Amino acid sequence: MFYFLLFLVGFGLTVAGGVSIIIYLNFVPAGLSFYDYFIFLKGRIECYFFVIGIILMIIAIQKLPVK
């Protein structure tokens, strides 16, 4: 049950981080280059949620029992 909960938390973090990354893509048409965009993402904590969520989901998938 713990790994299922871990998977759900990871999924939620991945969605939150992915949505933030997509929302910040709106800065590119406003004049930012892609290099500046990635530098900007590096400084935003909510964009790290995407990576943390994927790691948590990978851990949970590997530990879930297969029936």
Side-chain angles (χ1 to χ4, degrees):
M1 189 66 178
F2 170 74
Y3 292 111
F4 182 69
L5 182 63
L6 185 68
F7 180 82
L8 290 178
V9 169
F11 183 77
L13 288 175
T14 302
V15 169
V19 167
S20 296
I21 290 171
I22 291 170
I23 288 172
Y24 290 139
L25 267 173
N26 288 324
F27 289 147
V28 174
L32 251 61
S33 67
F34 277 106
Y35 177 74
D36 293 333
Y37 171 69
F38 289 120
I39 295 298
F40 177 76
L41 287 183
K42 193 174 94 171
R44 307 298 297 180
I45 190 69
E46 59 268 13
C47 296
Y48 287 112
F49 290 162
F50 183 76
V51 176
I52 294 169
I54 288 179
I55 291 170
L56 289 178
M57 286 180 13
I58 289 171
I59 291 170
I61 287 172
Q62 289 179 352
K63 300 291 184 174
L64 282 175
V66 178
K67 291 185 180 183

